[in-house]
Amino acid sequence: MLGRIAEAGAAGWSLVLISPFIGSFLGVLIRRLPDGSPVARGRSRCDACGVTLRARDLVPVLSWLAAGGRCRYCNQPLGWFYPGVELAALAVALTAVLIDGGQTAWLDCLLGWWLLALGWIDLRSWLLPDVLTLPLIIVGLAVTVALDPDRLTQHAAGAALGYLGLAAIAALYRTARGREGLGGGDAKLLAASGAWLGTAALPPVILLAALSALAAAGCLRLAGIRLGRYSALPFGPFLAFSTWAFWLSGTAG
Ligand SMILES: [Zn+2]
């Protein structure tokens, strides 16, 4: 594995090295975006005691380990959230570099980190903010123009079909069950999938997302957490995972 990373060269290495810092930023985004708090100022205070954190308190993962998972000032447990997001961002970079080397790994990371933030926000807050889903559609189309302009029509159609397809499923579900099963954010996220992957990828993306959601529900059940008829899992994290998996299989192939 380290051999593959060495082959990836400076571009691959720098992605892996910056990824925990990107993860710190994503952590701030995941926490603040749903509340509408300013994201730009970064994580500057301890959530428990409000003390201003210094540079040495903000080194991804390492500060957390050095302080034993507690705030150095008030000794409150810091929780797994920030190191968790930082490690997830690192895992995205390692996966991208192992699969694609230094060539298109930065693009894999851009999409992977973006989807990581979206999926995590949906998991915590049950929403997929437009400020993240809509630009992801535009960037997907821009990437298509840059890499393979002949496919632009197909990817633009993918974005439109992704949105309309999931909006139609949501409307059917609402009529049949009399309650919301999918949010509007899911349709915009599937539009982004279509923009990045094209029309042909939409059915397998939905299928893999649905299967992984079922698998997750099964795991929760095994763990003793039963999802009742009216409880549900957010679909965004599974759509995000599935989209990234198909993007990676496309670039690797
Ligand atoms: Zn504190």
Side-chain angles (χ1 to χ4, degrees):
M1 180 168 137
L2 286 173
R4 283 298 295 273
I5 297 176
E7 282 168 34
W13 267 113
S14 54
L15 274 171
V16 172
L17 284 177
I18 63 162
S19 63
F21 295 91
I22 301 280
S24 280
F25 169 72
L26 295 180
V28 172
L29 204 68
I30 291 164
R31 282 220 161 155
R32 293 193 185 167
L33 208 56
D35 316 331
S37 333
V39 169
R41 275 185 306 154
R43 172 165 50 128
S44 50
R45 288 172 187 284
C46 164
D47 290 330
C49 65
V51 74
T52 305
L53 299 175
R54 297 166 190 212
R56 59 171 285 200
D57 303 316
L58 293 169
V59 184
V61 184
L62 297 179
S63 291
W64 191 91
L65 287 175
R70 288 173 176 274
C71 171
R72 285 202 299 125
Y73 307 93
C74 67
N75 212 32
Q76 284 293 312
L78 293 169
W80 273 98
F81 176 74
Y82 280 104
V85 183
E86 287 155 5
L87 290 173
L90 177 66
V92 165
L94 281 174
T95 308
V97 168
L98 284 177
I99 288 181
D100 276 343
Q103 301 285 313
T104 53
W106 68 273
L107 206 51
D108 305 344
C109 282
L110 175 71
L111 180 62
W113 289 330
W114 205 315
L115 290 170
L116 175 67
L118 273 167
W120 209 311
I121 289 174
D122 201 20
L123 209 55
R124 281 174 67 95
S125 315
W126 283 83
L127 55 96
L128 294 162
D130 286 353
V131 289
L132 288 181
T133 50
L134 299 181
L136 191 58
I137 300 173
I138 312 276
V139 173
L141 295 177
V143 165
T144 308
V145 170
L147 294 184
D148 198 353
D150 293 345
R151 288 171 57 88
L152 178 62
T153 322
Q154 218 228 88
H155 284 231
L161 279 176
Y163 181 80
L164 293 173
L166 211 57
I169 294 173
L172 275 178
Y173 189 92
R174 205 180 304 125
T175 318
R177 291 282 192 94
R179 63 193 166 91
E180 291 292 333
L182 291 160
D186 292 311
K188 289 169 199 157
L189 181 54
L190 193 63
S193 278
W196 281 79
L197 303 171
T199 33
L202 290 174
V205 163
I206 296 179
L207 186 65
L208 177 63
L211 289 177
S212 50
L214 281 176
C219 291
L220 287 176
R221 197 165 181 169
L222 286 178
I225 304 164
R226 238 192 140 105
L227 292 173
R229 214 177 134 206
Y230 293 100
S231 56
L233 286 169
F235 198 47
F238 303 103
L239 267 183
F241 161 74
S242 173
T243 299
W244 202 54
F246 277 97
W247 168 261
L248 287 178
S249 74
T251 55

